[in-house]
Amino acid sequence: MPQPESENLSVKLFKNHKQALETSGLVPYLPSSLEQLEQSGRTWYRELRRPQWIWQGVDAIELESILARIANSQKHRSRDEWLDTVSGYHSGNWAYEWIHAGMEHQKKRLRNWMVMRQQKRILKLVCILVWQVILI
């Protein structure tokens, strides 16, 4: 059996990849289900569970801000009738917007942790200086 021609590693690593499908494009609907969805007048592919998400700790204003960015996106949608079907991983895409929000929270937490760590170091230094003054 002949070996396939070997490919240069950099060519293999950096070749263009096909764009991943948006979630709504992965599952084909039965005609009856599709008809039911079209008649329901839904504007979102995903079920929006605002009360549950808020109960789980998502800030209500931030939640609406994320949903607004998704809804207002001018990027291509795999299904024009559903607001959360923006194709490609960029602003307006459901996964992108939620991951971006999570990363912002992570950065904020890291900054707070670094400030707290610095404050502890300063407090230790002050304690050492106070003890040295007391001992003199």
Side-chain angles (χ1 to χ4, degrees):
M1 177 163 30
Q3 288 285 344
E5 192 174 310
S6 65
E7 203 174 342
N8 184 338
L9 184 58
S10 60
V11 170
K12 194 175 195 177
L13 290 173
F14 297 109
K15 72 179 175 184
N16 289 335
H17 296 282
K18 183 180 176 190
Q19 182 70 34
L21 287 176
E22 201 283 320
T23 310
S24 65
L26 296 176
V27 180
Y29 289 98
L30 294 172
S32 59
S33 300
L34 195 55
E35 183 179 315
Q36 210 172 20
L37 280 172
E38 289 168 353
Q39 290 174 354
S40 71
R42 292 177 55 168
T43 56
W44 294 84
Y45 169 70
R46 292 162 181 84
E47 188 70 36
L48 300 184
R49 297 185 173 117
R50 288 177 173 97
Q52 179 183 354
W53 295 337
I54 292 167
W55 177 75
Q56 290 174 326
V58 176
D59 178 58
I61 295 171
E62 183 180 16
L63 168 63
E64 292 304 323
S65 173
I66 292 167
L67 294 177
R69 285 195 302 272
I70 294 168
N72 290 324
S73 176
Q74 299 302 312
K75 309 282 189 198
H76 174 263
R77 298 182 196 287
S78 58
R79 305 276 310 242
D80 288 332
E81 64 271 18
W82 289 330
L83 299 172
D84 56 334
T85 58
V86 173
S87 299
Y89 188 74
H90 45 70
S91 62
N93 176 273
W94 179 272
Y96 175 88
E97 293 296 346
W98 284 105
I99 289 171
H100 182 72
M103 286 176 9
E104 289 301 316
H105 280 281
Q106 192 174 23
K107 285 182 201 174
K108 183 178 175 185
R109 176 64 183 117
L110 180 60
R111 281 193 301 271
N112 290 344
W113 179 78
M114 291 173 73
V115 167
M116 187 177 69
R117 200 171 107 194
Q118 183 124 14
Q119 289 171 343
K120 282 183 179 181
R121 286 181 180 164
I122 291 170
L123 184 60
K124 280 182 183 179
L125 189 62
V126 168
C127 289
I128 291 170
L129 290 172
V130 168
W131 277 108
Q132 286 179 351
V133 170
I134 292 174
L135 294 176
I136 293 180

